[in-house]
Amino acid sequence: MKAPIIKHTVSEVRGRVALWRGGGSSIGLVPTMGALHEGHLSLVREIRKRAEKVVVSIFVNPTQFAPHEDFDKYPRNLDKDVAMLASTDAVDMVFAPSPAEMYPQGFATAVDVAGPSAGLETDFRPHFFRGVATVVSKLLLAVTPDSAVFGEKDYQQLMVVKRLNADLGLPITILGAPIIREADGLAMSSRNAYLGERERKIAGFMNRILTVVAEQVRSGAPIATAEAAGAQGLLQAGFDSVDYVAVRDAETLERIETLERPARVLAAAKIGGTRLIDNMAV
Ligand code: AMP
């Protein structure tokens, strides 16, 4: 077991990273909001393949939550998270800043990414990508890694981060990593902890329904028809409401009429008070 060092300030992180760089090490970053699970650990293992020093940031970012969302009840347990990271033997540093460290008095800057942030999540969480893009920019600038990895679980987020990295000309490689799932196919998520027993069973249908939508589109069904059938399927399975089931261009996330380039089916739906998202390649 390798216990990571824990740092809470940007200046401490920069000091340590400078030492590592002086020693010739490459640096990898895994940004998270904590409440870690096997999905997060897969990102750690992925980045470890290409970075000699691995930094995991743990920060529940207030600016990506709307006032009515779950910022206050989002699970936080730094000791447990650090123990999980230690068990991988692959993490050198945990960066766990306070909100005041990331957003000091007078903070007045935001990073706005257009393009891939249009539609989908933005239609239902209009504040979200501005918060994500701002905090990810700050984390990338604090750690200045050679590479950073993000999960395909949050597929639109991955595309937004790739866009901002390219547009700001940051000298960082952004990697995507596949979705890690439970035995019934439910994508692992810190928010799955909110699900009661009945809700947890229903949640397992999302992945199966997306598989059917992808198959229908591949076998030539009109995209709008497959999307509508997917949304109907989620409601029939017991979801209370569906935000979207959408088949999009896998890179730009633009709407498509026919399947000529790689596509992605993405969905968001609610059970009880819990909002789940998932996606897969078509
Ligand atoms: P979060 O802590 O939810 O902000 O997630 C931190 C990172 O872990 C993001 O890049 C997510 O896309 C990624 N992630 C979350 N769940 C999974 C999963 N089930 N499989 C792969 N990556 C994931």
Side-chain angles (χ1 to χ4, degrees), residues 30-43 57 59 64 74 128 149-155 157-158 175 177-182 186-192:
V30 184
T32 80
M33 298 207 298
L36 302 181
H37 50 68
E38 199 49 47
H40 298 109
L41 300 189
S42 77
L43 303 186
S57 63
F59 180 59
Q64 69 192 66
Y74 199 86
F128 179 65
V149 66
F150 295 81
E152 289 179 351
K153 161 78 181 13
D154 301 277
Y155 192 82
Q157 169 175 287
L158 169 62
L175 306 166
I179 302 174
I180 304 300
R181 297 180 178 281
E182 303 284 0
L186 174 64
M188 288 190 183
S189 164
S190 308
R191 289 190 167 101
N192 292 350

Side-chain angles (χ1 to χ4, degrees), residues 133 136-141 144-146 161 163-174:
V136 168
S137 300
K138 285 180 65 75
L139 291 168
L140 293 175
L141 290 167
T144 58
D146 300 280
V161 170
R163 191 71 257 163
L164 93 81
N165 185 63
D167 291 354
L168 297 181
L170 302 178
I172 299 170
T173 303
I174 303 295

